[in-house]
Amino acid sequence: MKKIIGLVGTNSDFSTNRQLLQFMEKHFQDKIDMELVEINNLPLFNKPADRKIPEEAQEIADKIVDADGVIISTPEYDQSITAALSSALSWLSYGIYPFVDKPVMITGASYGTLGSSRAQMHLRQVLDAPELQARIMPSSEFLLSHSLQAFDEDLNLKDPEQVERLEELLEDFLTFIDISKQLNHSHNLNKREAENFSWEEI
């Protein structure tokens, strides 16, 4: 059974993106070993000169390294990801590089109609940055719109078509993880490139 990290892409106390990951954790418990990881204890990224990162960031990085893949669920604020998620990803690419070649699936929930589509597009750009170099599953959007009305009192998704869509994407992600394990010939080089990359030297 594959180990999956479900990264909650917000520091909000109430989030339908957290609910979405909680649903996935329960619904897919016979297929994956999923652990939800929060970013709400991380401080705002401040690029410390000594490159010392918070203990909380290192703990998250260690979990990602040990996992077979990561599912990130992001809300959309001002057509982008949250400041908290952006800051978390900055910590997770500052002297540590857990995302290099790590299979990632992106999901998102929003109160409106678009289901975090623009935030997901932005997140793909961020995860493709030289310091992150995540291996993002292509052609795979799960957009949960009107998310305040999407769950019942037991945090189950009400719409069976949405559940079916999520099931199909999860199966694709598990296959994507298997394929990604075979694409490991340049992993050490990719990690060195991430470690040595500097915007100041461009």
Side-chain angles (χ1 to χ4, degrees):
M1 186 175 290
K2 291 180 173 61
K3 174 67 178 179
I4 304 295
I5 294 300
L7 193 65
V8 181
T10 177
N11 59 357
S12 176
D13 291 335
F14 173 81
S15 171
T16 53
N17 282 275
R18 182 181 293 108
Q19 290 178 342
L20 176 57
L21 290 173
Q22 289 171 335
F23 168 76
M24 295 179 70
E25 180 182 27
K26 178 176 62 175
H27 188 72
F28 296 120
Q29 59 184 329
D30 62 333
K31 292 182 177 292
I32 58 175
D33 177 15
M34 187 170 180
E35 178 183 358
L36 265 61
V37 171
E38 301 280 356
I39 60 174
N40 50 12
N41 290 323
L42 288 172
L44 187 67
F45 181 71
N46 60 1
K47 198 177 182 181
D50 60 3
R51 301 185 75 83
K52 185 176 181 180
I53 66 170
E55 183 177 326
E56 296 87 351
Q58 185 63 62
E59 290 176 357
I60 295 174
D62 291 342
K63 289 178 183 291
I64 292 173
V65 168
D66 291 339
D68 294 297
V70 179
I71 299 175
I72 304 176
S73 192
T74 178
E76 182 170 308
Y77 292 166
D78 298 329
Q79 300 187 9
S80 182
I81 61 175
T82 64
L85 179 55
S86 178
S87 178
L89 293 174
S90 293
W91 282 123
L92 294 170
S93 57
Y94 190 66
I96 52 176
Y97 306 96
F99 275 105
V100 173
D101 296 327
K102 183 65 61 175
V104 175
M105 171 179 164
I106 299 174
T107 66
S110 73
Y111 298 168
T113 303
L114 297 178
S116 80
S117 60
R118 291 162 297 192
Q120 289 195 34
M121 181 174 63
H122 180 214
L123 181 55
R124 286 178 179 274
Q125 293 177 316
V126 174
L127 290 170
D128 199 39
E131 306 96 317
L132 283 157
Q133 295 191 51
R135 188 163 281 147
I136 312 152
M137 186 166 73
S139 304
S140 58
E141 288 185 321
F142 183 78
L143 308 171
L144 185 63
S145 59
H146 305 294
S147 57
L148 285 174
Q149 295 81 39
F151 298 93
D152 63 21
E153 59 185 14
D154 296 319
L155 296 183
N156 294 311
L157 279 176
K158 297 178 184 178
D159 186 347
E161 289 187 4
Q162 290 280 28
V163 175
E164 182 181 8
R165 170 68 173 158
L166 201 54
E167 290 172 345
E168 291 171 348
L169 284 175
L170 192 279
E171 290 296 335
D172 283 347
F173 187 51
L174 296 180
T175 301
F176 181 69
I177 290 173
D178 289 335
I179 293 172
S180 294
K181 288 180 179 179
Q182 301 177 49
L183 305 175
N184 58 3
H185 299 87
S186 62
H187 176 71
N188 291 333
L189 176 60
N190 293 340
K191 191 169 183 181
R192 285 200 304 272
E193 287 180 348
E195 291 170 349
N196 296 327
F197 183 83
S198 172
W199 288 104
E200 288 83 357
E201 295 177 2
I202 292 180

